[in-house]
Amino acid sequence: MPLNQAFVKAASHLTGEWCRNNRKLILACDMDETLLTESEDEQHFILRPKVLYMLRNLRAAYELCLVTYSTRERTEQILKIKLDPHGKLFNGRVLCREDVLAGFDNKREALFAHLPQSKTSKGLIKVKKLKNGQPVRPPCWPYIVMLDDFPAAWSNFSSCIPIRPFLIGPGTGSIGKGKTSPKVLTGECGYVLSLYRFLMKLHSAVFEKVGAPATSTAIVPTDISCSPVAGKSGKKLVGKKDTAGITATGNPTAFSALVSLKKRINSAQRFQNMCYVDPGQLLTFDGAPSVVMTAVESKAKSSFGPSFMSVDWQSEKKALSDFAR
């Protein structure tokens, strides 16, 4: 299947080894209703408040990618006039509708296929395929974090963070001509800053102990792509794939940190609700998850009403009007 060669070239350095050595994660962002939205009259693009502040400051800890179902023409227009006019945020790592729908089932498959997996003798990137024709996970996959208001677009992958949809329309605070009410802007500023804190905490959780010895000597040493490595005798050993996304040295990854977090929360709906209210607190309840979760849920109920925690946000986007009241 055809690949976006501009993206492939711009992302050619994103290997698992590069992420570890440079202490960086990969952040794949959705665009519409995650980073921005359109005005009610569909004549203006409205950036989510503080979203540029967040993205610019995240560049020190993340390599940014944009993966959207928007058409290439529309995406390039938005990047040029609003989101990334100088091309320094995403640096050419942009996948559009034409790329995602070019034989892939979802955004995750499209992104994984465009990331480096192996090289030919000429040094060219080669995308590996399974017998069924599907691309395998690239070596850097445990270091990828996705942001999307619709996680199903990533097949609900464990590394996808559900983002509160940013919508402007009837009853949500739109005052026309691409402007929104101060009340909506204030709430969104706080939300995006909370999301920024969470992403920085996640980065710290992954890399603060890089280089520490493995926690278990029973793990057969393998690299991040599960390739065999040489043992003490010089013979190659075949290691088992670590489904938790932990590296051969026992260091955590973004995937393993998020899986561990979700296991402690023990509820997909509760995790989503927490992501919608105050994601900045998601990594602060080590050892006492119930206390902080109760506090966050109380905040949600007091701010948005007692029915908030039972709302199915994926199917009830209209309920977002509560956030503007």
Side-chain angles (χ1 to χ4, degrees), residues 14-298:
L14 297 181
T15 63
E17 181 181 7
W18 186 92
C19 290
R20 292 191 296 274
N21 292 341
N22 290 274
R23 301 171 67 88
K24 273 195 170 186
L25 298 176
I26 300 168
L27 184 65
C29 302
D30 171 53
M31 186 172 70
D32 290 289
E33 300 178 13
T34 297
L35 302 181
L36 53 83
T37 190
E38 288 188 359
S39 59
E40 186 178 347
D41 57 10
E42 298 184 352
Q43 298 299 313
H44 304 274
F45 299 119
I46 304 173
L47 286 177
R48 198 164 203 157
K50 291 293 182 180
V51 75
L52 289 182
Y53 170 88
M54 179 184 75
L55 294 176
R56 288 167 181 165
N57 283 278
L58 284 175
R59 285 190 302 168
Y62 290 80
E63 289 289 276
L64 305 180
C65 305
L66 185 68
V67 185
T68 175
Y69 277 125
S70 178
T71 63
R72 193 179 313 281
E73 180 181 4
R74 179 175 179 273
T75 301
E76 290 178 350
Q77 179 187 11
I78 293 174
L79 287 171
K80 184 177 181 179
I81 66 176
K82 281 285 187 179
L83 196 55
D84 191 14
H86 302 294
K88 294 182 178 180
L89 289 179
F90 301 105
N91 291 310
R93 295 183 294 271
V94 178
L95 295 179
C96 305
R97 173 189 293 270
E98 293 85 346
D99 305 312
V100 178
L101 299 183
F104 302 104
D105 291 336
N106 51 60
K107 291 181 178 180
R108 176 176 60 87
E109 285 188 7
L111 177 63
F112 281 7
H114 283 79
L115 293 172
Q117 300 182 42
S118 66
K119 295 186 178 181
T120 67
S121 58
K122 296 182 180 180
L124 301 176
I125 293 174
K126 182 180 180 181
V127 177
K128 294 181 180 179
K129 298 289 182 64
L130 298 176
K131 291 183 179 180
N132 61 5
Q134 297 298 324
V136 299
R137 293 176 180 178
C140 67
W141 75 267
Y143 296 95
I144 301 174
V145 181
M146 301 94 163
L147 296 182
D148 205 310
D149 67 295
F150 188 60
W154 300 87
S155 68
N156 293 307
F157 197 60
S158 294
S159 296
C160 185
I161 307 300
I163 300 302
R164 191 171 85 195
F166 179 47
L167 298 173
I168 299 296
T172 60
S174 175
I175 57 178
K177 296 184 179 180
K179 298 181 180 180
T180 56
S181 69
K183 190 173 183 179
V184 172
L185 294 179
T186 300
E188 287 297 333
C189 284
Y191 178 73
V192 173
L193 292 177
S194 178
L195 177 61
Y196 170 70
R197 288 195 298 272
F198 166 73
L199 291 171
M200 292 307 297
K201 288 178 182 178
L202 177 61
H203 178 272
S204 297
V206 173
F207 291 111
E208 65 181 0
K209 294 183 180 180
V210 168
T215 57
S216 173
T217 57
I219 299 177
V220 176
T222 59
D223 65 16
I224 198 63
S225 60
C226 302
S227 300
V229 296
K232 292 182 179 179
S233 62
K235 296 181 179 180
K236 288 189 175 181
L237 303 174
V238 178
K240 293 183 179 180
K241 184 174 182 179
D242 184 358
T243 56
I246 299 177
T247 64
T249 58
N251 293 318
T253 63
F255 180 83
S256 64
L258 289 171
V259 168
S260 176
L261 174 65
K262 291 181 178 181
K263 284 183 178 179
R264 282 186 286 170
I265 294 176
N266 197 30
S267 168
Q269 185 63 51
R270 176 175 284 186
F271 175 74
Q272 177 176 284
N273 290 339
M274 294 176 72
C275 288
Y276 278 23
V277 179
D278 189 1
Q281 291 197 44
L282 279 171
L283 290 174
T284 62
F285 56 87
D286 189 25
S290 59
V291 175
V292 176
M293 283 191 287
T294 300
V296 173
E297 290 173 352
S298 298

